[in-house]
Amino acid sequence: MLTDYHVHLRPDDPGTAAELYFTGSNAERYRETATERGIAELGVSEHIHRFSAALDVWQHPFWRANATDDLDAYVSFVREETDLRLGIEADFIAGREDRMANLLDAHEWDYVIGSVHFLGEHAVDIGDETDIWRREPSAERVWRLYYEALAASAISGIFDIIAHPELVKIWGPTRPRPAKDLRFYYEPAIEAMLDAGVAMEVSTAGLRKPVGEIYPARPMIEMAVDAGVPIALSSDAHVPDHLGYAYEQTVELLRDCGVKEIAVFERRARRMEPLG
Ligand SMILES: [Zn+2]
Ligand SMILES: [Zn+2]
């Protein structure tokens, strides 16, 4: 079994209105590409910040600029006009867990993907004036804050899958990395995922970002496997051609790390299926 659950039906750019992309024919394009690439379990997970209801959770300027779409319409579209699993990519916003849980509880997802994109008001993966690295030049501090948030996202109990668990490295060599062994940062996050009973996403998206590395790096995958944290496999596609990106090398890496099964979700129940 191969999965691709962390999938967006449109790019993040402006001009990608819901009515252009939330269509049966667009969903079909994704399904066809996934089938060609041997991916049987396909779901979508739109960014929560693109829906107006997200402003009840948080009023960050980036969200205010993007929150235009109707969440109920997205849910009805996926359930009634496609054969895809219904997911959502929701942010972990410290202090807003209850509001986010209320928003998510109003719908019957197949899975909820939890992402750390912001540390306080500052962005991990947006290179504008909100960039965390403009505020915190210390790699040790940024990584510590990032992994503390990742652990808190697992413990929050809101999410089924913890997304791209090393997004903090997205910019690659243009930002500093901590000098110490990175397992120091991974460890508490792994423990939190284990305690919370959530799955850890292995995302091939990092391979097509400036860093050019998988999220997370092999040592963190190995730690997750050793601890018994279930692995979920996704590409974070924003166009059909990203589906299953670099899966061949990734499946090999996962096997090498001792992964035999991957997580499959339906109505927020998880089961494990053989990898590959
Ligand atoms: Zn994300
Ligand atoms: Zn995403």
Side-chain angles (χ1 to χ4, degrees):
M1 170 82 73
L2 290 175
T3 59
D4 209 342
Y5 283 144
H6 188 152
V7 170
H8 303 271
L9 286 167
R10 52 187 170 169
D12 290 337
D13 315 328
T16 51
E19 55 271 28
L20 300 175
Y21 289 87
F22 296 170
T23 66
S25 59
N26 191 37
E28 197 46 44
R29 285 166 64 217
Y30 278 74
R31 174 60 82 190
E32 280 169 13
T33 305
T35 302
E36 277 166 25
R37 298 179 183 178
I39 299 160
E41 266 292 306
L42 183 65
V44 286
S45 58
E46 284 307 304
H47 285 293
I48 197 134
H49 70 250
R50 300 204 61 175
F51 300 104
S52 53
L55 297 179
D56 295 340
V57 177
W58 205 38
Q59 290 269 340
H60 189 281
F62 178 75
W63 284 29
R64 281 206 301 268
N66 283 281
T68 53
D69 299 337
D70 186 88
L71 185 60
D72 298 337
Y74 163 65
V75 168
S76 314
F77 159 69
V78 175
R79 284 288 184 219
E80 290 158 25
E81 294 179 53
T82 81
D83 60 356
L84 308 175
R85 296 269 181 240
L86 173 63
I88 187 134
E89 180 177 11
D91 289 64
F92 173 73
I93 307 295
R96 303 298 167 108
E97 295 90 333
D98 289 349
R99 292 185 195 196
M100 185 63 86
N102 284 339
L103 176 58
L104 294 170
D105 284 350
H107 296 285
E108 285 197 28
W109 312 102
D110 287 311
Y111 52 85
V112 175
I113 299 178
S115 295
V116 174
H117 298 122
F118 290 93
L119 302 172
E121 298 283 312
H122 298 275
V124 174
D125 63 340
I126 308 172
D128 65 5
E129 66 281 357
T130 66
D131 186 350
I132 183 70
W133 294 99
R134 295 200 188 190
R135 170 161 182 116
E136 294 284 355
S138 152
E140 282 70 23
R141 209 172 130 73
V142 170
W143 279 61
R144 188 170 58 73
L145 289 172
Y146 173 77
Y147 278 102
E148 279 174 5
L150 200 79
S153 76
I155 296 297
S156 74
I158 310 173
F159 310 116
D160 304 303
I161 302 168
I162 301 304
H164 40 57
E166 206 173 21
L167 187 68
V168 66
K169 70 179 178 183
I170 183 170
W171 303 113
T174 63
R175 306 290 193 284
R177 273 203 199 190
K180 65 175 95 156
D181 189 329
L182 297 176
R183 283 175 284 200
F184 170 87
Y185 300 94
Y186 304 152
E187 176 112 53
I190 297 284
E191 222 166 276
M193 288 189 267
L194 186 67
D195 288 352
V198 294
M200 183 182 87
E201 180 178 89
V202 169
S203 170
T204 60
L207 293 163
R208 51 180 177 78
K209 293 294 163 77
V211 66
E213 290 177 17
I214 199 157
Y215 299 136
R218 179 175 182 139
M220 190 173 179
I221 299 174
E222 288 172 340
M223 288 169 79
V225 174
D226 286 351
V229 174
I231 301 293
L233 174 63
S234 282
S235 69
D236 206 347
H238 285 69
V239 293
D241 195 41
H242 287 162
L243 289 169
Y245 184 82
Y247 266 23
E248 209 168 307
Q249 72 188 68
T250 301
V251 167
E252 203 173 305
L253 169 69
L254 291 175
R255 287 219 171 94
D256 256 26
C257 292
V259 177
K260 295 190 175 67
E261 299 178 309
I262 52 171
V264 173
F265 294 87
E266 199 174 346
R267 303 274 170 172
R268 305 201 70 176
R270 182 181 71 223
R271 66 177 198 275
M272 301 303 290
E273 292 280 349
L275 166 69

